[in-house]
C-alpha cells in the first residue's frame, strides 16, 4: 500500500516536471507569476521572478533556438556526393 503511494507520487512529480519543461517559456512565466500572486508575495518579489524568468529575444518558446545568434555559414564546407546508377538498373 505504501509502495503504491510512493510510486504514484514519483509518477505525478515526473509528469509535472516534464510538462513544465516542455511548456513554452511564455506559459511558464505566466503560470509562475500567477502562483506568486496567489501566495500573497510582495509585488517586488513578482517583478524579481518575472525578470528571472524572462528570456532574451522573442521569449515565446524555449526550444527553437530562433533567438540565438546566427552562425556564419560562409566558412562552413558542405560535401556533395554524386552517385551514378549502374547501367544495368532500369529506370521504370
Amino acid at each position: 500500500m505504501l509502495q503504491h503511494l510512493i510510486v504514484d507520487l514519483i509518477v505525478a512529480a515526473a509528469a509535472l516536471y516534464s510538462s513544465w519543461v516542455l511548456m513554452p517559456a511564455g506559459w511558464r512565466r505566466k503560470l509562475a507569476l500567477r502562483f506568486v500572486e496567489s501566495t500573497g508575495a510582495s509585488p517586488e518579489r513578482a517583478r524579481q521572478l518575472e525578470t528571472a524568468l524572462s528570456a532574451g529575444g522573442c521569449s515565446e518558446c524555449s526550444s527553437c533556438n530562433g533567438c540565438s545568434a546566427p552562425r556564419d555559414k560562409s566558412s562552413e564546407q558542405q560535401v556533395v556526393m554524386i552517385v551514378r546508377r549502374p547501367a544495368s538498373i532500369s529506370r521504370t
Side-chain angles (χ1 to χ4, degrees), residues 54-84:
S54 66
C58 62
S59 73
E60 289 300 319
C61 65
S62 60
S63 61
C64 71
N65 294 331
C67 300
S68 63
R71 299 183 317 187
D72 182 23
K73 294 185 179 184
S74 63
S75 63
E76 292 181 17
Q77 294 182 357
Q78 295 181 353
V79 177
V80 177
M81 293 180 62
I82 300 174
V83 180
R84 296 182 184 237

Side-chain angles (χ1 to χ4, degrees), residues 17-71:
Y17 176 76
S18 63
S19 64
W20 180 263
V21 169
L22 296 174
M23 187 182 304
W27 294 6
R28 276 196 307 258
R29 188 178 326 107
K30 288 177 186 177
L31 284 175
L33 287 174
R34 285 184 186 166
F35 177 74
V36 168
E37 290 170 355
S38 69
T39 58
S42 67
E44 178 64 28
R45 177 68 180 134
R47 278 188 297 245
Q48 290 173 351
L49 180 67
E50 185 175 6
T51 303
L53 289 175
S54 66
C58 62
S59 73
E60 289 300 319
C61 65
S62 60
S63 61
C64 71
N65 294 331
C67 300
S68 63
R71 299 183 317 187

